[in-house]
Amino acid sequence: MADSETLECITEHERILQEIESTDTACVGPTLRSIYDDQPNAHKRFMEKLDARIRNHDREIEKMCNFHHQGFVDAITELLKVRADAEKLMGQVTDTNRRLQDAGREVTAQTEEVIRCRVQQRNMATTVEKLQLCIPVLEMYSKLKEQLESKRYYAALKTMEQLEKVYIPRVSQYRFCQIMAENLPRLREEIKDISMSDLKDFLESIRKHSDKVGETAMRQAQQHRTFNSAVAKQASMGHYIKPVYSLNERTHAHTPNGLLMDDDTGDDEADEEILTAQDLVDFSPVYRCLHIYTVLGDRETFENYYRKQRKKQARLVLQPQANMHETVEGYRRYFNQIVGFFVVEDHILHATQGLVTRAYTDELWNMALSKIIAVLRTHSSYCDDPDLVLELKNLIVIFADTLQGFGFPVNRLFDLLFEVRDQYNETLLKKWALVFREIFELDNYSPIPVETEEEYKLVVSRFPFHDAEIEKQDFPKKLPMSQSVPQIYTQVKEFIYASLKFSESLHRSSTEIDDMLRKSTNLLLTRTLSSCLQNLIKKPHIGLTELVQIIINTTHLEQACRYLEEFITNITNVSPETVHTTRLYGLSTFKDARHAAEGEIYTKLNQKIDEFIQLADYEWGMAESDGRASGYLMDLINFLRSTFQVFTHLPNNNNDHASMSGKVAQTACMSACKHLSTSLMQMLLDTELKQISMGAIQQFNLDVIQCELFASSEPVPGFQGDTLQLAFIDLRQLLDLFMVWDWSTYLADYGQPTSKYLRVNPATALALLEKMKDTSKKNNIFSQFRKNDRDKQKLIETVVKQLRSLVNAECNMRT
């Protein structure tokens, strides 16, 4: 075991020695450390091994030195021989060097001069080369400055682009180029600011010029409409005229170069030069700013700003003046501004690529259209002048046609015109109400006198009057109606013409226009004229004669309604037999007015009777009557006679009118007699009248007899038998009862259909009898016969009791 370990140790030391010999000295540390980490006494054995290895090497070195020693000695000997020659050669070299230095000193100076010149030459060439690179940059920058000074900003941006991409990169190492490159963004911002300022000036300018642009466009649209109307008329006559004006340069189709251009720009026959939006407005700031922002890559910002500002301007344009409705010029300025605004937008739409889009303009137009309609609704409602409303309608039509020519939908504007038409009709109705009132106020309400045939033809030309009997009469003669009738008829036709004016240029069919005219005429007849007639009839100063004439007038106006229908048919060429054709309601209007006049006749007649009754001055305590009727009653009867003679003037040229006039006269007469009878009865039964003498009864009986005589004299023909006298039957039976003093018969036959005093009411008889009770004692007739007087008083008291029992019995039966 010991020998084995010794052998391994020797082998390990041998390996370590070989590693030390072959390894760099810097890496010997780990190797030596392994010696100490080995077995005890390994260090000593290794040192021994190391000494043995050193000695072995020393022996090899010694052998090698011994082997080369003779050669070393020979080399030293040779070196000593060469030493002398070397010293000699060194002297020669030193001398040669000195002479060479002396000779080359001048050459060196010249060479340095040459080198310096070559360096200068090279520097100059380099400078020229660099300047040739820099000069184009400087020239382009100078060009940029000139372009900026001349406000050619789009060209300046192109120059900047060339500087940045082509020229400056070639000489970017120079400081001035760096300064240039740093200035270019600032110049771009300045250009943006300047172009934006120009755009703002343009927007302000276009706001001022919109009125003029719109005025030009609307005038050309109106000329276009006038030309089309002329062409249509010429075409119907077989002629044609070459067009002079056009609504816009596209003839309903856009071109990219302008607005409102003539179809034939070379036409020398044009009466005047066609102005376009470009003639009135300089659009270059918009194009320039658009190009600048496009080049700068900021087009979206520009588009948004432009659209935002134009929307603000649109809102300002759409805001009307407070007093716009007062004059047509206010409306015209309003429409001109709006048209000018959208003409400019339409031009921008077609002259630029995407600055505004069709969707944007449509949205803007829809917003504007809603605002316009609301404004027109509000302001048109303030208009009370039909001429102004008609002017407004014409402006709306031209406004709509103008914008329709530029592709904007305007159907809602034509729908609005129907609302304006209603407003127009309302103003017409108000105007014609004043006309009718004036006609009625100036009318004398007497038949129209005609002295000659010319006067007759003049009246007939104004009003469709035909009467064979009157035509056969000799001049002078009178027409049954008053002067207001032909005037009313003429004014109704004028109203139809005025209403027709609004229907022009509305692109409506003849049937629709016919329907409009008939409806508006119906409103005139049933509302305006009817109201004027009703007010006229109710006026206090209109007497019975005037009311009779009004009835005559309404009858003739009623007959003329069919001529008005023919008049409308001739205007519209629409047959009245067409389905859904509106009929005129004049018949009902004049019938209602006639009925109102008739009712007013009855009312005024009764009022006149009341006025006469108020003049009655009976002496209710008189002993005996005067033997003649009262003066007030005779005056009343004379008034009634003369009044009913007026009714003979009522139209009776045919059976219908004859029956109608007779009915009115009969009704008036019966009404007057009944009212007179009732008034006389109320006079007797007046609660304030406490005492009535027999003499007063006799006087009252004389008055009633006159009334009965009037009724029996047939003041109005047509009554059968004693129909009119029956109006006084209540008074007659009551007075007969008191005059005859036939109480036994009255009380015995009371309640019998054949009673002589069937119309005498017990309460009425009782009231009148009680008024006579207190006067019986003072009656002169009975003063000489006291016993008879007492018997009379007892009889009265007995009759009073029986009458009261009858009254009570009737009350019980009613309850």
Side-chain angles (χ1 to χ4, degrees):
M1 291 293 292
D3 293 338
S4 177
E5 292 178 357
T6 303
L7 182 59
E8 291 178 1
C9 183
I10 293 172
T11 302
E12 179 65 19
H13 291 168
E14 188 66 28
R15 184 189 64 76
I16 291 172
L17 289 174
Q18 290 178 357
E19 186 174 348
I20 290 172
E21 290 175 351
S22 61
T23 304
D24 190 6
T25 56
C27 300
V28 176
T31 304
L32 296 178
R33 190 178 297 108
S34 65
I35 298 173
Y36 292 95
D37 294 340
D38 211 344
Q39 298 177 1
N41 297 325
H43 172 67
K44 184 177 180 182
R45 286 194 295 270
F46 176 74
M47 292 301 294
E48 292 175 356
K49 189 66 174 176
L50 180 61
D51 291 338
R53 177 62 64 89
I54 291 173
R55 286 194 298 274
N56 187 22
H57 281 300
D58 287 340
R59 283 194 296 274
E60 289 179 2
I61 291 171
E62 186 176 354
K63 288 180 181 180
M64 186 174 291
C65 289
N66 290 333
F67 179 75
H68 293 289
H69 179 268
Q70 188 57 44
F72 177 74
V73 173
D74 294 337
I76 292 299
T77 301
E78 290 293 331
L79 184 59
L80 291 174
K81 291 180 181 180
V82 174
R83 180 177 180 182
D85 295 334
E87 291 178 353
K88 183 178 178 180
L89 180 59
M90 184 63 180
Q92 293 176 352
V93 169
T94 301
D95 183 57
T96 301
N97 181 56
R98 180 181 54 74
R99 286 187 280 107
L100 183 60
Q101 290 293 333
D102 294 338
R105 190 172 286 110
E106 183 177 354
V107 174
T108 299
Q110 294 180 356
T111 301
E112 290 177 353
E113 183 65 21
V114 171
I115 291 173
R116 187 177 63 80
C117 290
R118 291 289 177 85
V119 170
Q120 289 179 351
Q121 185 180 13
R122 185 175 67 250
N123 290 342
M124 292 174 65
T126 301
T127 301
V128 170
E129 180 182 357
K130 297 303 181 182
L131 286 175
Q132 289 177 347
L133 293 176
C134 293
I135 287 175
V137 178
L138 296 173
E139 289 177 347
M140 290 297 290
Y141 196 78
S142 176
K143 180 181 178 182
L144 172 62
K145 288 293 187 181
E146 292 177 357
Q147 291 170 340
L148 291 176
E149 290 177 358
S150 61
K151 297 184 179 181
R152 297 164 53 204
Y153 300 116
Y154 182 73
L157 289 175
K158 290 296 184 182
T159 302
M160 288 185 192
E161 184 178 1
Q162 291 180 344
L163 279 172
E164 283 184 330
K165 295 182 178 180
V166 179
Y167 292 97
I168 290 181
R170 297 175 182 174
V171 289
S172 59
Q173 67 273 21
Y174 299 109
R175 180 170 178 76
F176 77 91
C177 290
Q178 296 176 2
I179 295 174
M180 287 183 184
E182 292 173 358
N183 283 338
L184 292 182
R186 180 181 59 80
L187 293 176
R188 281 196 178 93
E189 290 300 322
E190 289 181 0
I191 291 175
K192 285 180 65 175
D193 295 340
I194 293 172
S195 61
M196 183 58 70
S197 176
D198 291 344
L199 176 65
K200 292 178 180 178
D201 294 340
F202 166 79
L203 293 175
E204 180 64 23
S205 173
I206 197 61
R207 189 178 68 83
K208 296 178 180 178
H209 289 84
S210 291
D211 189 15
K212 183 64 176 178
V213 173
E215 179 185 357
T216 302
M218 290 184 66
R219 183 172 64 252
Q220 292 173 7
Q222 187 173 12
Q223 292 168 347
H224 183 75
R225 288 179 60 244
T226 304
F227 166 74
N228 286 342
S229 300
V231 169
K233 292 180 181 178
Q234 291 294 333
S236 63
M237 298 172 60
H239 300 286
Y240 180 71
I241 300 175
K242 185 175 181 181
V244 175
Y245 298 101
S246 64
L247 181 60
N248 52 50
E249 86 288 1
R250 301 180 298 279
T251 312
H252 303 288
H254 287 283
T255 61
N257 293 327
L259 298 173
L260 305 174
M261 297 296 291
D262 198 343
D263 287 337
D264 185 6
T265 56
D267 189 359
D268 296 333
E269 297 178 4
D271 292 337
E272 61 179 270
E273 183 181 359
I274 302 296
L275 295 177
T276 68
Q278 285 179 318
D279 296 328
L280 300 172
V281 179
D282 180 16
F283 288 93
S284 59
V286 179
Y287 306 146
R288 184 165 56 246
C289 197
L290 175 63
H291 291 159
I292 288 171
Y293 273 77
T294 301
V295 170
L296 296 177
D298 205 8
R299 181 188 177 106
E300 183 177 358
T301 300
F302 173 74
E303 291 178 356
N304 293 335
Y305 177 81
Y306 177 84
R307 295 179 185 181
K308 180 179 179 182
Q309 294 301 316
R310 288 296 279 167
K311 282 184 178 180
K312 289 182 179 179
Q313 289 188 347
R315 293 188 181 94
L316 293 176
V317 167
L318 296 172
Q319 189 67 32
Q321 295 181 350
N323 61 344
M324 183 179 73
H325 61 276
E326 295 179 357
T327 62
V328 69
E329 289 302 321
Y331 287 106
R332 182 175 285 111
R333 285 193 297 271
Y334 182 68
F335 287 132
N336 287 344
Q337 290 176 356
I338 296 173
V339 170
F341 178 89
F342 283 100
V343 166
V344 169
E345 287 305 291
D346 182 80
H347 177 78
I348 294 294
L349 172 67
H350 293 88
T352 61
Q353 297 296 327
L355 177 56
V356 295
T357 62
R358 175 56 66 182
Y360 163 78
T361 55
D362 289 345
E363 177 187 359
L364 198 61
W365 170 244
N366 290 330
M367 181 272 291
L369 190 57
S370 299
K371 179 66 174 177
I372 292 168
I373 291 174
V375 167
L376 293 179
R377 278 200 187 108
T378 301
H379 284 265
S380 64
S381 64
Y382 299 146
C383 294
D384 53 5
D385 182 5
D387 295 333
L388 179 58
V389 178
L390 186 61
E391 289 286 348
L392 173 60
K393 167 257 173 183
N394 293 332
L395 284 176
I396 293 176
V397 171
I398 298 172
F399 173 74
D401 287 346
T402 304
L403 290 173
Q404 190 175 31
F406 289 92
F408 295 101
V410 294
N411 292 335
R412 291 173 62 190
L413 284 175
F414 284 103
D415 294 339
L416 173 67
L417 285 175
F418 284 95
E419 300 179 25
V420 178
R421 181 200 65 192
D422 295 338
Q423 176 66 20
Y424 177 69
N425 286 337
E426 288 297 325
T427 57
L428 283 182
L429 293 175
K430 292 178 181 179
K431 179 179 179 180
W432 257 258
L434 298 176
V435 172
F436 291 152
R437 291 194 192 104
E438 184 178 2
I439 291 175
F440 289 141
E441 289 175 359
L442 298 178
D443 193 8
N444 57 8
Y445 296 99
S446 59
I448 300 176
V450 285
E451 302 292 336
T452 63
E453 185 175 357
E454 287 73 16
E455 292 182 9
Y456 179 78
K457 290 182 179 179
L458 179 62
V459 174
V460 173
S461 66
R462 297 171 57 198
F463 181 76
F465 175 77
H466 304 286
D467 190 302
E469 294 183 2
I470 294 180
E471 289 178 357
K472 293 177 182 178
Q473 297 176 3
D474 296 331
F475 293 98
K477 52 188 173 182
K478 291 185 178 181
L479 304 184
M481 65 279 190
S482 67
Q483 63 182 3
S484 64
V485 172
Q487 293 175 352
I488 292 293
Y489 183 80
T490 302
Q491 286 302 321
V492 172
K493 292 172 64 175
E494 290 296 326
F495 176 87
I496 294 173
Y497 278 127
S499 182
L500 178 64
K501 288 181 180 179
F502 194 91
S503 302
E504 296 174 352
S505 306
L506 290 186
H507 312 299
R508 297 295 172 180
S509 64
S510 298
T511 304
E512 290 176 306
I513 294 175
D514 182 85
D515 186 63
M516 293 178 193
L517 291 179
R518 291 177 182 272
K519 287 181 177 179
S520 59
T521 306
N522 275 333
L523 284 175
L524 178 71
L525 296 177
T526 60
R527 198 173 79 184
T528 304
L529 182 55
S530 175
S531 176
C532 290
L533 284 171
Q534 296 292 340
N535 293 334
L536 173 67
I537 292 169
K538 298 295 182 182
K539 286 187 175 181
H541 70 274
I542 297 296
L544 294 174
T545 304
E546 288 81 0
L547 289 173
V548 171
Q549 187 63 54
I550 289 173
I551 293 176
I552 298 172
N553 291 348
T554 54
T555 303
H556 287 283
L557 287 172
E558 180 182 340
Q559 295 172 353
C561 283
R562 62 188 181 92
Y563 296 100
L564 289 176
E565 290 202 357
E566 293 177 1
F567 177 72
I568 295 175
T569 300
N570 293 333
I571 292 176
T572 60
N573 294 323
V574 176
S575 174
E577 286 75 21
T578 305
V579 181
H580 305 307
T581 299
T582 304
R583 310 298 298 181
L584 293 184
Y585 301 143
L587 297 178
S588 61
T589 297
F590 297 120
K591 284 180 180 178
D592 293 342
R594 190 160 52 250
H595 292 159
E598 292 170 3
E600 193 66 19
I601 286 177
Y602 309 148
T603 301
K604 287 185 178 294
L605 196 56
N606 293 340
Q607 290 176 350
K608 197 68 176 178
I609 291 173
D610 291 338
E611 292 178 4
F612 280 99
I613 294 295
Q614 289 177 0
L615 298 176
D617 186 18
Y618 287 101
E619 186 179 349
W620 297 107
M622 66 172 55
E624 57 183 11
S625 67
D626 295 337
R628 62 179 183 276
S630 301
Y632 86 90
L633 189 69
M634 297 306 297
D635 293 340
L636 172 57
I637 291 174
N638 292 332
F639 165 76
L640 292 177
R641 289 185 188 280
S642 62
T643 298
F644 291 129
Q645 288 179 357
V646 176
F647 285 86
T648 60
H649 297 294
L650 287 173
N652 56 1
N653 55 331
N654 57 50
N655 292 332
D656 292 337
H657 288 155
S659 60
M660 181 274 297
S661 60
K663 182 180 178 181
V664 172
Q666 291 169 11
T667 304
C669 188
M670 178 59 74
S671 174
C673 290
K674 285 184 177 181
H675 185 72
L676 177 57
S677 176
T678 302
S679 299
L680 291 174
M681 181 69 75
Q682 290 176 350
M683 189 184 303
L684 282 177
L685 302 178
D686 188 3
T687 55
E688 296 183 359
L689 180 59
K690 304 299 182 180
Q691 297 176 351
I692 299 179
S693 66
M694 183 55 70
I697 294 294
Q698 293 171 352
Q699 180 65 42
F700 203 81
N701 182 57
L702 292 175
D703 293 343
V704 173
I705 290 173
Q706 290 298 322
C707 293
E708 292 172 330
L709 290 174
F710 168 75
S712 62
S713 66
E714 197 176 10
V716 173
F719 286 107
Q720 296 180 357
D722 56 353
T723 302
L724 193 57
Q725 292 177 335
L726 292 177
F728 302 96
I729 189 64
D730 292 354
L731 269 175
R732 171 48 49 208
Q733 291 184 5
L734 179 63
L735 292 175
D736 285 349
L737 176 62
F738 278 84
M739 293 291 294
V740 178
W741 206 254
D742 194 8
W743 293 105
S744 59
T745 303
Y746 173 76
L747 294 173
D749 295 342
Y750 178 76
Q752 300 296 324
T754 58
S755 174
K756 181 180 179 181
Y757 305 102
L758 181 63
R759 305 300 295 270
V760 178
N761 188 283
T764 303
L766 176 61
L768 184 57
L769 189 58
E770 286 182 339
K771 294 177 185 294
M772 298 182 64
K773 219 171 44 166
D774 295 334
T775 61
S776 61
K777 297 179 180 180
K778 303 177 182 179
N779 198 323
N780 294 329
I781 297 176
F782 303 115
S783 61
Q784 296 176 357
F785 308 99
R786 297 299 181 184
K787 183 176 183 301
N788 293 337
D789 187 19
R790 290 195 298 270
D791 294 341
K792 189 84 168 180
Q793 185 66 28
K794 290 179 181 179
L795 178 60
I796 291 175
E797 292 177 355
T798 303
V799 172
V800 167
K801 291 179 182 179
Q802 292 179 347
L803 289 174
R804 284 177 180 169
S805 63
L806 291 176
V807 171
N808 293 332
E810 284 188 358
C811 292
N812 293 333
M813 289 178 63
R814 291 174 183 173
T815 56

